[in-house]
Amino acid sequence: MHTSASTTPLSPAAVAVERVPHSLQEDLVALFTGCFVIAFGVMLLQQSQAVTGGTAGLAFLLHYALGVKFGVAFFLLNLPFYYLAWRRMGRAMVFKTFCCVALLSVCTDLHPRFVSIAQISPFYAALLGNMLMGLGFIVLFRHKASLGGLNLLALYLQDRHGIRAGHVQMAIDLLIILASTALVPWPSIVASVGGAIVLNLLIAMNHRPNRYLA
């Protein structure tokens, strides 16, 4: 007598999930892509005098207030956070993060040499720029890298305490944007708040513990 095999689907807990680490080539391509996309988003914000949160937001404040180049300010602001990365996130992530910070600093000065935007709405620039930055951050996070600074703090809180990185980043971002009200026109501030919300919602929805296992 023939007995058919059971077709009852296995529960997720019964299925063994094997983690397949990224290769070196995959990491290199992903880190370059993420930084390149984020740098283009930064350029859109600069073109419209919009701001964002995180360490990039602090770099924007220095850029608008003192005329310091964004790339230089961003690189210097990240230096104190490497200690946290070294102690808590591992040497590999410190190295990847350092490379990403340096690459972004270069790319932010590179894009304007090839792209010139004569006119752009602050609201459109803030929306598109932050969407691009959010997508770039997700790429970096999934390859165990970041852009240092406050991103490292957000990732640390998620890994150690289960607090979503996007929620932590959103609270910090809003505080930084409020601090920029003395330097940036109000229409750009309103656009920047909306853009920061979009950016961090993208991260909160797409970068959760145990959702991406590579």
Side-chain angles (χ1 to χ4, degrees):
M1 180 177 180
H2 177 71
T3 303
S4 60
S6 174
T7 59
T8 303
L10 296 175
S11 65
V15 179
V17 179
E18 180 182 359
R19 297 192 179 195
V20 180
H22 295 113
S23 67
L24 176 60
Q25 180 181 358
E26 290 171 336
D27 278 342
L28 291 175
V29 172
L31 299 188
F32 176 79
T33 301
C35 291
F36 196 81
V37 171
I38 292 171
F40 194 85
V42 168
M43 186 198 70
L44 291 177
L45 298 185
Q46 285 181 309
Q47 293 282 341
S48 62
Q49 284 194 308
V51 294
T52 188
T55 313
L58 295 177
F60 270 122
L61 291 181
L62 290 177
H63 173 67
Y64 293 140
L66 303 176
V68 181
K69 283 189 175 182
F70 174 88
V72 174
F74 185 76
F75 184 83
L76 294 177
L77 285 170
N78 272 285
L79 294 178
F81 289 94
Y82 287 121
Y83 177 76
L84 172 64
W86 183 273
R87 291 293 302 272
R88 301 295 185 181
M89 312 298 283
R91 288 179 294 179
M93 187 167 187
V94 172
F95 179 73
K96 289 180 181 179
T97 297
F98 182 85
C99 291
C100 288
V101 169
L103 182 59
L104 182 69
S105 299
V106 172
C107 287
T108 51
D109 291 331
L110 182 66
H111 281 307
R113 299 176 184 270
F114 295 93
V115 179
S116 177
I117 300 176
Q119 182 179 358
I120 187 170
S121 164
F123 292 93
Y124 183 83
L127 176 63
L128 180 58
N130 280 283
M131 287 179 66
L132 291 173
M133 293 174 67
L135 294 174
F137 279 129
I138 292 169
V139 172
L140 297 185
F141 291 167
R142 289 185 173 181
H143 285 260
K144 301 297 182 181
S146 76
L147 284 176
L150 298 171
N151 293 136
L152 285 176
L153 178 61
L155 286 174
Y156 168 75
L157 292 175
Q158 173 169 291
D159 292 341
R160 297 292 179 174
H161 302 289
I163 305 172
R164 289 188 189 174
H167 293 169
V168 174
Q169 194 72 47
M170 183 181 294
I172 296 172
D173 288 354
L174 292 177
L175 290 175
I176 292 175
I177 291 174
L178 289 176
S180 66
T181 54
L183 301 171
V184 178
W186 272 103
S188 295
I189 290 292
V190 175
S192 299
V193 171
I197 293 173
V198 169
L199 183 154
N200 289 288
L201 283 177
L202 280 174
I203 296 175
M205 290 188 298
N206 292 281
H207 186 71
R208 299 183 185 181
N210 300 323
R211 169 163 285 185
Y212 187 77
L213 301 177

